[in-house]
């Protein structure tokens, strides 16, 4: 939905520096986005500072909540897609904490499009399908009649595990080759193409 790579990278660096580490270039941080924060800091902090990954995570959350949309913007085709699917139930299912995800969609002006924003608060992160199963349960929807759209292989793996149709987008975090290997039902360069594609496919 949004390109928040630079804002997330800045928040990660705030956490790293706060516990005594060196700032890392965004190019080293971005491939980790979408994984649990504890794992991100474990991998990016030097060995002698890994015990402080919990504190780095706290600093990340404090900073990101206040600075989550400084450079973040909607990805191409998002507005068009959400408007075209106005009659369809839509939800956000994310690795972020729910309060953080709610702030991002609100600041981006798209919160009115969603029936539910569900973060991974105290539940396993994708590719575990728990967050998707929770969304389906709360909206009263069947997995076989639902789609997940994501930009990482974790999204596609989670969708397949819970029985949803899967759509990968090429403009986000994931490498196209990795997404192709995950074998999603759809692979799109622009989210605006999604409504037309799913209308001609069985649900």
């Amino acid at each position: 939905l949004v390109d928040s790579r630079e804002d997330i990278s800045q928040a990660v660096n705030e956490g790293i520096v706060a516990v005594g580490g060196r700032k890392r270039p965004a190019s080293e941080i971005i491939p980790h986005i979408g994984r649990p924060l504890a794992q991100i800091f474990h991998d990016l902090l030097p060995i002698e500072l890994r015990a402080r990954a919990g504190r780095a995570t706290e600093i990340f959350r404090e900073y990101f909540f206040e600075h989550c949309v400084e450079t973040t913007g909607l990805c191409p085709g998002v507005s068009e897609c959400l408007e075209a699917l106005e009659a369809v139930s839509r939800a956000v299912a994310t690795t972020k904490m729910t309060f953080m995800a709610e702030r991002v969609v609100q600041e981006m002006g798209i919160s009115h499009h969603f029936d539910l924003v569900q973060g991974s608060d105290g539940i396993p992160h994708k590719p575990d399908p728990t967050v998707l199963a929770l969304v389906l349960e709360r909206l009263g929807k069947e997995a076989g009649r639902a789609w997940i759209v994501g930009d990482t292989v974790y999204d596609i793996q989670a969708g397949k595990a819970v029985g949803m149709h899967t759509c990968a987008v090429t403009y986000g975090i994931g490498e196209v080759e990795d997404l192709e290997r995950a074998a999603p039902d759809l692979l799109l360069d622009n989210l605006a193409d999604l409504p037309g594609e799913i209308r001609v496919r069985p649900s």
Side-chain angles (χ1 to χ4, degrees), residues 111-164:
S111 59
H112 62 285
H113 287 294
F114 296 102
D115 301 297
L116 175 67
V117 176
Q118 179 63 55
S120 298
D121 308 6
I123 60 176
H125 295 80
K126 293 175 285 187
D128 187 288
T130 299
V131 67
L132 299 183
L134 189 57
V135 166
L136 291 168
E137 178 185 349
R138 290 185 172 177
L139 293 181
K141 305 299 179 182
E142 299 175 15
R145 294 176 56 82
W147 285 79
I148 178 175
V149 181
D151 64 348
T152 73
V153 295
Y154 306 130
D155 298 312
I156 305 310
Q157 291 167 351
K160 287 177 177 287
V162 81
M164 298 173 73

Side-chain angles (χ1 to χ4, degrees), residues 19-159:
V19 299
R22 286 186 178 182
K23 188 175 180 179
R24 305 290 286 268
S27 60
E28 293 182 9
I29 297 173
I30 288 171
H32 294 273
I33 295 175
R35 301 169 63 223
L37 283 171
Q39 292 181 16
I40 293 175
F41 284 114
H42 178 273
D43 291 346
L44 294 178
L45 286 169
I47 294 174
E48 65 272 16
L49 293 176
R50 285 178 180 169
R52 305 196 68 190
R55 179 55 182 158
T57 297
E58 292 175 0
I59 296 296
F60 171 97
R61 288 179 175 148
E62 292 170 5
Y63 180 88
F64 188 69
F65 187 78
E66 296 298 331
H67 304 273
C68 60
V69 294
E70 290 193 354
T71 63
T72 292
L74 293 178
C75 293
V78 167
S79 293
E80 295 90 334
C81 175
L82 292 175
E83 290 169 6
L85 295 177
E86 200 65 44
V88 178
S89 294
R90 289 146 300 165
V92 174
T94 177
T95 302
K96 291 182 177 69
M97 300 287 283
T98 299
F99 78 92
M100 196 76 72
E102 288 175 339
R103 178 169 173 81
V104 172
V105 296
Q106 182 175 2
E107 291 295 320
M108 287 288 95
I110 57 175
S111 59
H112 62 285
H113 287 294
F114 296 102
D115 301 297
L116 175 67
V117 176
Q118 179 63 55
S120 298
D121 308 6
I123 60 176
H125 295 80
K126 293 175 285 187
D128 187 288
T130 299
V131 67
L132 299 183
L134 189 57
V135 166
L136 291 168
E137 178 185 349
R138 290 185 172 177
L139 293 181
K141 305 299 179 182
E142 299 175 15
R145 294 176 56 82
W147 285 79
I148 178 175
V149 181
D151 64 348
T152 73
V153 295
Y154 306 130
D155 298 312
I156 305 310
Q157 291 167 351

